[in-house]
Amino acid sequence: MPENPLNVAVIIGSVREGRIAPVIASWLVGQAGKRDDVALDVVDLVETRLPGELKGHFGGERPPEVTALQPRLAAADAFVVVLPEYNRAYPGALKVMIDTYHAEWQAKPVGFVCYGGMSSGLRAVEQLRLVFAELHAVTVRDSVAFQSPWTMFDAEGHWPKDSAGCDAAAKVMLDQLTWYARALRDARTARPYAS
């Protein structure tokens, strides 16, 4: 592994019972694990136990769960959000999590691994591009999208049955993400970002 790998936070953005997001995130971690330039931190919204609404956002005491996650996001050089599309949008718990933080996202790249029905989750990603732009984050162009992923993974639920296409898409997205992550990390080091 290089001396100074990029810290990439993989955010599992679904909290629904019976979700397939952890399976897809596990696949992505396997893809990213083939690289020697990244160190991964998996942030599962179920495990973070963040409040269901914004608290302490405009002053006052922040809940301990919010305070506990902050250093992990701040340490990240880049993010990959694994998310489903629900009713043509992204999950509410993910939006609350994103809105709970601000400086942690700034001048950092965000990639997406999405899934859903006919649109494969891409409508949710398009909405999140606007949200992250408002937070001064940079979204990478290429995403990994799974249509009906519950039919794509093997009997153990870990790896896509026909992995060539999604493996190639993951490589493209991760290549873009790491290029932006390194460029933006160098830029933030040379000159701190101010919004």
Side-chain angles (χ1 to χ4, degrees):
M1 183 168 280
E3 186 176 317
N4 198 8
L6 296 162
N7 295 316
V8 178
V10 176
I11 300 168
I12 302 177
S14 172
V15 297
R16 275 192 182 177
E17 187 177 340
R19 65 199 173 128
I20 194 169
V23 173
I24 295 172
S26 176
W27 166 81
L28 176 69
V29 166
Q31 294 300 304
K34 297 174 184 176
R35 306 177 67 97
D36 65 357
D37 57 349
V38 298
L40 301 174
D41 178 17
V42 178
V43 176
D44 188 338
L45 293 190
V46 166
E47 294 172 2
T48 63
R49 302 198 173 282
L50 293 174
E53 67 279 336
L54 296 176
K55 292 184 177 179
H57 190 67
F58 296 107
E61 191 171 330
R62 295 185 121 192
E65 298 85 0
V66 171
T67 304
L69 182 56
Q70 188 278 332
R72 292 172 68 188
L73 299 179
D77 296 306
F79 305 95
V80 177
V81 182
V82 178
L83 73 146
E85 179 180 313
Y86 297 151
N87 301 320
R88 296 179 178 251
Y90 48 84
L94 178 60
K95 176 68 165 138
V96 171
M97 181 265 194
I98 292 168
D99 288 349
T100 298
Y101 304 94
H102 187 71
E104 293 78 8
W105 308 115
Q106 292 183 343
K108 296 178 183 178
V110 182
F112 301 100
V113 176
C114 58
Y115 62 93
M118 292 300 293
S119 75
S120 305
L122 291 169
R123 293 179 291 211
V125 168
E126 289 307 310
Q127 293 176 24
L128 277 179
R129 290 184 189 284
L130 298 173
V131 172
F132 278 112
E134 183 65 20
L135 293 167
H136 298 250
V138 178
T139 60
V140 300
R141 183 197 180 280
D142 289 280
S143 301
V144 181
F146 292 98
Q147 183 180 43
S148 304
W150 42 91
T151 67
M152 297 179 66
F153 288 79
D154 64 21
E156 288 75 46
H158 292 109
W159 306 107
K161 292 177 183 175
D162 181 14
S163 64
C166 50
D167 290 356
K171 182 182 182 323
V172 169
M173 185 271 292
L174 290 167
D175 285 348
Q176 291 175 10
L177 187 79
T178 55
W179 187 93
Y180 277 103
R182 193 163 309 284
L184 290 169
R185 182 173 71 180
D186 292 348
R188 289 192 314 273
T189 302
R191 184 174 181 182
Y193 185 81
S195 60

